[in-house]
């Protein structure tokens, strides 16, 4: 079993238009590194200076990883990773 | 491409903005998945609670996006207010704009505003104003 990743419209040009892709890893950081191998360029949109990029929210199942262990949040097969662009502005 | 929005929905957005003034308001106007008309207003909490910044609460955001999907709805417009400037995207608005598929509806509650309601697309850092078509 792998980890399913839900990709927002903004990043689908990097995933060949796919909304759902799958990857693997034991933490969010590992999953993102594996995603980067599959879809080069995606990591820079998700991570900045070893932190979740301020322009996106990343959730493991229901939980925003900023309120867990950030990129070190553990994941296991069967979990889902959802990426949503943050909605913010001035 | 114009934003098509129901008059009742637009009135709810304006009322929400006036209620939150001078704090910036924010929310979503959903359409059906098949249709294009922004119809159902989902007011969101401005986690920043600021007169110059807004931010959806990330947990509320995930719940709302999931419920839109379950209801076969789409986030047709994302709205927020400017409480001391015109209804035009700020630099922060452009930097954060992560929904090229949505209309960015901005409401100004500034007393000197010339045009209190405007709608934009923001694509690759570029701001494109669009017309608003109000439907009964």
């Amino acid at each position: 079993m792998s980890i399913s990743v839900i990709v927002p419209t903004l990043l689908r040009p990097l995933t060949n238009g796919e909304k759902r892709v799958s990857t693997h890893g034991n933490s969010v950081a590992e999953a993102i590194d594996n995603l980067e191998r599959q879809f080069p360029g995606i990591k820079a949109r998700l991570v900045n200076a070893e932190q979740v990029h301020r322009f996106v929210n990343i959730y493991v199942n229901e939980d925003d990883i900023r309120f867990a262990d950030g990129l070190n949040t553990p994941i296991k097969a069967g979990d889902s990773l959802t990426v949503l662009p943050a909605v913010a502005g001035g | 491409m114009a934003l098509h929005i129901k008059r009742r929905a637009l009135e709810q957005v304006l009322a929400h903005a006036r209620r939150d003034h001078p704090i910036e308001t924010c929310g979503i106007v959903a359409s059906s998945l098949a249709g294009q008309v922004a119809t159902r207003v989902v007011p969101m909490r401005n986690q920043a609670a600021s007169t110059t910044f807004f931010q959806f609460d990330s947990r509320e955001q995930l719940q709302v996006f999931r419920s839109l999907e379950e209801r076969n709805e789409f986030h047709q417009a994302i709205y927020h207010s400017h409480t001391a400037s015109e209804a035009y995207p700020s630099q922060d608005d452009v930097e954060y704009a992560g929904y090229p598929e949505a209309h960015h509806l901005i409401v100004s509650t500034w007393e000197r505003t010339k045009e209190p309601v405007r709608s934009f697309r923001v694509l690759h850092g570029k701001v494109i104003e669009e017309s608003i078509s109000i439907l009964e």
Side-chain angles (χ1 to χ4, degrees):
Chain A
M1 277 234 294
S2 57
I3 289 142
S4 74
V5 183
I6 300 174
V7 181
T9 306
L10 184 70
L11 301 183
R12 284 180 213 159
L14 294 168
T15 58
N16 311 313
E18 293 296 323
K19 180 181 179 183
R20 282 169 198 272
V21 299
S22 41
T23 192
H24 56 276
N26 294 313
S27 67
V28 174
E30 279 183 28
I32 290 173
D33 283 339
N34 287 320
L35 279 175
E36 176 68 16
R37 275 180 215 115
Q38 297 164 259
F39 309 109
I42 201 164
K43 184 176 177 176
R45 310 295 293 274
L46 302 176
V47 176
N48 183 39
E50 307 298 315
Q51 307 261 342
V52 181
H53 205 300
R54 69 189 166 108
F55 295 147
V56 296
N57 302 324
I58 301 176
Y59 307 85
V60 172
N61 303 322
E62 322 294 317
D63 301 319
D64 181 342
I65 64 169
R66 282 197 186 90
F67 301 102
D69 236 345
L71 295 169
N72 296 322
T73 303
I75 46 174
K76 56 185 190 310
D79 280 345
S80 88
L81 210 60
T82 301
V83 178
L84 285 181
V87 181
Chain B
M1 204 175 74
L3 165 64
H4 299 276
I5 187 167
K6 288 277 191 190
R7 182 178 300 279
R8 192 176 132 76
L10 186 56
E11 283 168 358
Q12 286 172 351
V13 169
L14 289 164
H16 186 206
R18 284 193 290 263
R19 203 160 60 235
D20 285 353
H21 183 91
I23 299 295
E24 290 195 11
T25 201
C26 57
I28 289 170
V29 192
S31 66
S32 69
L33 206 50
Q36 300 269 316
V37 183
T39 303
R40 187 172 73 87
V41 176
V42 186
M44 302 287 286
R45 195 167 77 78
N46 176 1
Q47 190 177 34
S50 160
T51 58
T52 56
F53 200 75
F54 78 98
Q55 179 143 31
F56 283 7
D57 174 289
S58 64
R59 287 166 286 200
E60 186 183 27
Q61 185 185 344
L62 180 67
Q63 285 163 11
V64 167
F65 273 75
R66 286 202 173 155
S67 94
L68 293 182
E69 208 164 304
E70 280 160 20
R71 297 168 61 116
N72 285 318
E73 289 180 332
F74 177 70
H75 48 282
Q76 193 64 236
I78 294 172
Y79 70 88
H80 76 283
S81 65
H82 288 170
T83 58
S85 63
E86 289 290 3
Y88 191 85
S90 65
Q91 194 178 332
D92 282 335
D93 293 338
V94 175
E95 273 188 21
Y96 270 96
Y99 291 85
E101 70 277 25
H103 302 269
H104 291 262
L105 178 65
I106 306 182
V107 169
S108 173
T109 53
W110 187 37
E111 73 276 10
R112 284 164 29 209
T113 184
K114 293 193 178 73
E115 213 177 336
V117 184
R118 296 169 77 176
S119 183
F120 304 87
R121 292 277 182 174
V122 186
L123 297 171
H124 311 301
K126 270 212 231 150
V127 174
I128 303 155
E129 183 155 17
E130 54 187 9
S131 57
I132 300 178
S133 158
I134 301 170
L135 306 168
E136 297 305 328

Coordinates of all heavy atoms in Angstrom, one line a residue, chain B residues 36-73:
Chain B
Q36 N -21.7 27.6 -13.3 CA -20.7 28.6 -13.2 C -21.1 29.7 -12.3 O -20.3 30.6 -12.0 CB -20.5 29.2 -14.6 CG -20.1 28.3 -15.7 CD -18.5 28.2 -15.8 OE1 -17.9 29.2 -15.7 NE2 -18.0 27.0 -15.9
V37 N -22.3 29.6 -11.7 CA -22.8 30.7 -11.0 C -22.5 30.6 -9.5 O -22.9 29.6 -8.8 CB -24.4 30.8 -11.2 CG1 -24.9 32.0 -10.4 CG2 -24.7 30.9 -12.6
A38 N -21.8 31.6 -9.0 CA -21.5 31.6 -7.5 C -22.7 31.8 -6.8 O -23.4 32.9 -7.0 CB -20.4 32.7 -7.3
T39 N -23.1 30.9 -5.9 CA -24.5 30.9 -5.3 C -24.5 30.8 -3.8 O -25.2 31.5 -3.1 CB -25.2 29.7 -5.9 OG1 -25.2 29.8 -7.3 CG2 -26.7 29.7 -5.3
R40 N -23.6 30.0 -3.2 CA -23.7 29.7 -1.8 C -22.5 30.3 -1.1 O -21.4 29.9 -1.3 CB -23.8 28.2 -1.5 CG -24.1 27.8 -0.1 CD -24.4 26.4 0.1 NE -23.2 25.5 0.0 CZ -22.3 25.2 1.0 NH1 -22.6 25.7 2.2 NH2 -21.3 24.5 0.7
V41 N -22.8 31.2 -0.1 CA -21.7 31.9 0.6 C -21.3 31.0 1.8 O -22.1 30.6 2.6 CB -22.1 33.3 1.0 CG1 -21.1 33.9 1.9 CG2 -22.5 34.1 -0.2
V42 N -20.0 30.8 1.9 CA -19.4 30.1 3.0 C -18.5 31.1 3.7 O -17.3 31.2 3.3 CB -18.6 28.8 2.6 CG1 -18.2 28.0 3.9 CG2 -19.5 27.9 1.7
P43 N -19.0 31.8 4.8 CA -18.1 32.7 5.5 C -17.0 31.9 6.2 O -17.2 30.9 6.8 CB -19.0 33.4 6.5 CG -20.4 32.9 6.2 CD -20.3 31.7 5.4
M44 N -15.8 32.5 6.2 CA -14.7 31.8 6.8 C -14.1 32.7 7.9 O -14.3 33.9 7.9 CB -13.5 31.5 5.9 CG -13.9 30.7 4.7 SD -14.2 28.9 5.1 CE -12.5 28.3 5.3
R45 N -13.5 32.1 8.9 CA -12.9 32.9 10.0 C -11.6 33.5 9.5 O -10.8 32.7 8.9 CB -12.6 31.9 11.1 CG -12.3 32.6 12.5 CD -12.4 31.5 13.6 NE -11.2 30.7 13.6 CZ -10.1 31.0 14.1 NH1 -9.9 32.2 14.6 NH2 -9.0 30.2 14.1
N46 N -11.3 34.7 9.7 CA -10.0 35.3 9.4 C -9.1 35.1 10.6 O -9.2 35.8 11.6 CB -10.1 36.8 9.1 CG -8.8 37.5 8.9 OD1 -7.8 36.8 8.9 ND2 -8.8 38.8 8.7
Q47 N -8.2 34.1 10.4 CA -7.4 33.7 11.5 C -6.4 34.8 11.9 O -6.0 34.9 13.1 CB -6.6 32.4 11.1 CG -5.8 31.8 12.3 CD -5.1 30.5 11.8 OE1 -4.7 30.4 10.7 NE2 -5.1 29.6 12.7
A48 N -6.1 35.6 10.9 CA -5.2 36.8 11.2 C -5.9 37.9 12.0 O -5.2 38.6 12.7 CB -4.6 37.3 9.9
A49 N -7.2 37.9 11.9 CA -8.0 38.9 12.6 C -7.3 40.3 12.6 O -7.1 41.0 13.6 CB -8.2 38.5 14.1
S50 N -7.0 40.7 11.4 CA -6.2 41.9 11.2 C -6.9 42.9 10.2 O -7.8 42.5 9.4 CB -4.8 41.5 10.5 OG -4.2 42.6 9.9
T51 N -6.6 44.2 10.4 CA -7.2 45.2 9.5 C -6.4 45.2 8.1 O -6.9 45.9 7.2 CB -7.1 46.6 10.1 OG1 -5.7 46.9 10.4 CG2 -7.9 46.6 11.4
T52 N -5.3 44.5 8.0 CA -4.5 44.6 6.8 C -4.1 43.2 6.3 O -3.3 43.1 5.3 CB -3.2 45.3 7.0 OG1 -2.5 44.7 8.1 CG2 -3.4 46.8 7.4
F53 N -4.6 42.1 6.9 CA -4.3 40.8 6.4 C -5.4 39.8 6.7 O -6.2 40.0 7.7 CB -3.0 40.3 7.1 CG -2.3 39.2 6.4 CD1 -1.5 39.4 5.3 CD2 -2.4 37.9 6.9 CE1 -0.9 38.4 4.6 CE2 -1.7 36.8 6.2 CZ -1.0 37.1 5.1
F54 N -5.5 38.8 5.9 CA -6.5 37.8 6.2 C -5.8 36.4 5.9 O -4.9 36.3 5.1 CB -7.8 37.9 5.4 CG -7.6 37.4 4.0 CD1 -8.1 36.1 3.6 CD2 -7.1 38.2 3.0 CE1 -7.9 35.7 2.3 CE2 -6.9 37.7 1.7 CZ -7.3 36.5 1.3
Q55 N -6.3 35.4 6.6 CA -5.8 34.0 6.4 C -6.9 33.1 6.8 O -7.4 33.2 7.9 CB -4.5 33.8 7.1 CG -4.0 32.4 6.9 CD -2.5 32.3 6.9 OE1 -1.8 33.1 7.5 NE2 -2.0 31.4 6.1
F56 N -7.3 32.1 5.9 CA -8.2 31.1 6.3 C -7.5 30.2 7.4 O -6.3 30.0 7.4 CB -8.5 30.1 5.2 CG -9.5 30.6 4.1 CD1 -9.9 32.0 4.1 CD2 -9.9 29.8 3.1 CE1 -10.8 32.4 3.2 CE2 -10.8 30.2 2.2 CZ -11.3 31.5 2.2
D57 N -8.3 29.8 8.4 CA -7.9 28.8 9.3 C -7.7 27.5 8.6 O -8.6 27.0 7.9 CB -8.9 28.7 10.4 CG -8.6 27.5 11.4 OD1 -8.7 26.4 11.0 OD2 -8.3 27.9 12.5
S58 N -6.5 26.9 8.6 CA -6.2 25.8 7.8 C -7.1 24.6 8.0 O -7.4 23.9 7.1 CB -4.7 25.4 7.9 OG -4.4 24.9 9.2
R59 N -7.5 24.4 9.3 CA -8.3 23.2 9.6 C -9.7 23.4 9.0 O -10.3 22.5 8.4 CB -8.3 22.9 11.1 CG -7.0 22.3 11.5 CD -6.8 22.3 13.0 NE -6.5 23.6 13.5 CZ -5.9 23.9 14.6 NH1 -5.6 22.9 15.5 NH2 -5.7 25.1 15.0
E60 N -10.2 24.6 9.2 CA -11.5 25.0 8.7 C -11.5 24.9 7.2 O -12.5 24.4 6.6 CB -11.9 26.4 9.1 CG -13.3 26.8 8.8 CD -13.7 28.3 9.1 OE1 -12.8 29.1 9.2 OE2 -14.9 28.5 9.3
Q61 N -10.4 25.3 6.6 CA -10.3 25.3 5.1 C -10.4 23.8 4.6 O -11.1 23.6 3.6 CB -9.0 25.9 4.7 CG -8.8 26.0 3.2 CD -7.4 26.5 2.8 OE1 -6.7 27.0 3.7 NE2 -7.0 26.3 1.6
L62 N -9.7 22.9 5.2 CA -9.8 21.5 4.8 C -11.2 21.0 4.9 O -11.8 20.4 4.0 CB -8.8 20.6 5.5 CG -8.8 19.1 5.1 CD1 -8.3 19.0 3.7 CD2 -8.0 18.3 6.1
Q63 N -11.9 21.3 6.0 CA -13.2 20.8 6.2 C -14.2 21.4 5.1 O -15.0 20.6 4.6 CB -13.8 21.3 7.6 CG -13.2 20.5 8.8 CD -13.4 21.2 10.1 OE1 -14.2 22.2 10.2 NE2 -12.8 20.7 11.1
V64 N -14.0 22.7 4.9 CA -14.9 23.3 3.9 C -14.6 22.7 2.5 O -15.6 22.4 1.8 CB -14.7 24.8 3.9 CG1 -15.4 25.5 2.7 CG2 -15.3 25.4 5.2
F65 N -13.4 22.6 2.1 CA -13.1 22.0 0.8 C -13.6 20.6 0.6 O -14.1 20.2 -0.4 CB -11.6 22.1 0.5 CG -11.2 23.4 -0.1 CD1 -11.1 24.6 0.6 CD2 -10.9 23.6 -1.5 CE1 -10.8 25.8 0.1 CE2 -10.6 24.8 -2.1 CZ -10.5 25.9 -1.3
R66 N -13.5 19.8 1.7 CA -14.0 18.5 1.6 C -15.6 18.5 1.5 O -16.1 17.7 0.8 CB -13.6 17.7 2.9 CG -12.2 17.3 2.8 CD -11.8 16.2 3.7 NE -10.5 15.7 3.4 CZ -9.7 15.1 4.3 NH1 -10.2 14.8 5.5 NH2 -8.5 14.8 4.0
S67 N -16.2 19.4 2.3 CA -17.6 19.4 2.2 C -18.1 19.9 0.8 O -19.1 19.4 0.3 CB -18.3 20.2 3.4 OG -18.5 21.5 3.0
L68 N -17.4 20.8 0.2 CA -17.7 21.2 -1.2 C -17.7 20.0 -2.1 O -18.6 19.8 -2.9 CB -16.8 22.3 -1.7 CG -16.8 23.7 -1.0 CD1 -15.8 24.6 -1.7 CD2 -18.1 24.3 -1.0
E69 N -16.7 19.2 -1.9 CA -16.5 18.0 -2.8 C -17.7 17.1 -2.6 O -18.2 16.6 -3.6 CB -15.2 17.4 -2.5 CG -14.6 16.6 -3.7 CD -13.1 16.3 -3.5 OE1 -12.3 17.2 -3.2 OE2 -12.8 15.1 -3.6
E70 N -18.0 16.9 -1.3 CA -19.2 16.0 -1.0 C -20.5 16.5 -1.6 O -21.3 15.7 -2.0 CB -19.3 15.8 0.5 CG -18.3 14.8 1.1 CD -18.2 15.0 2.6 OE1 -19.1 15.6 3.2 OE2 -17.1 14.5 3.1
R71 N -20.6 17.8 -1.6 CA -21.9 18.4 -2.1 C -21.8 18.6 -3.7 O -22.7 19.2 -4.2 CB -22.1 19.7 -1.4 CG -22.3 19.6 0.1 CD -22.2 21.0 0.7 NE -23.3 21.9 0.2 CZ -24.3 22.4 0.9 NH1 -24.4 22.1 2.2 NH2 -25.2 23.2 0.3
N72 N -20.8 18.1 -4.3 CA -20.6 18.4 -5.7 C -20.6 19.9 -6.0 O -21.2 20.4 -7.0 CB -21.6 17.7 -6.6 CG -21.3 16.2 -6.7 OD1 -20.2 15.8 -6.8 ND2 -22.3 15.4 -6.5
E73 N -19.9 20.6 -5.2 CA -19.8 22.1 -5.4 C -18.3 22.4 -5.7 O -17.4 21.6 -5.5 CB -20.2 22.8 -4.2 CG -21.7 22.7 -4.0 CD -22.2 23.5 -2.7 OE1 -21.4 23.6 -1.8 OE2 -23.4 23.9 -2.7

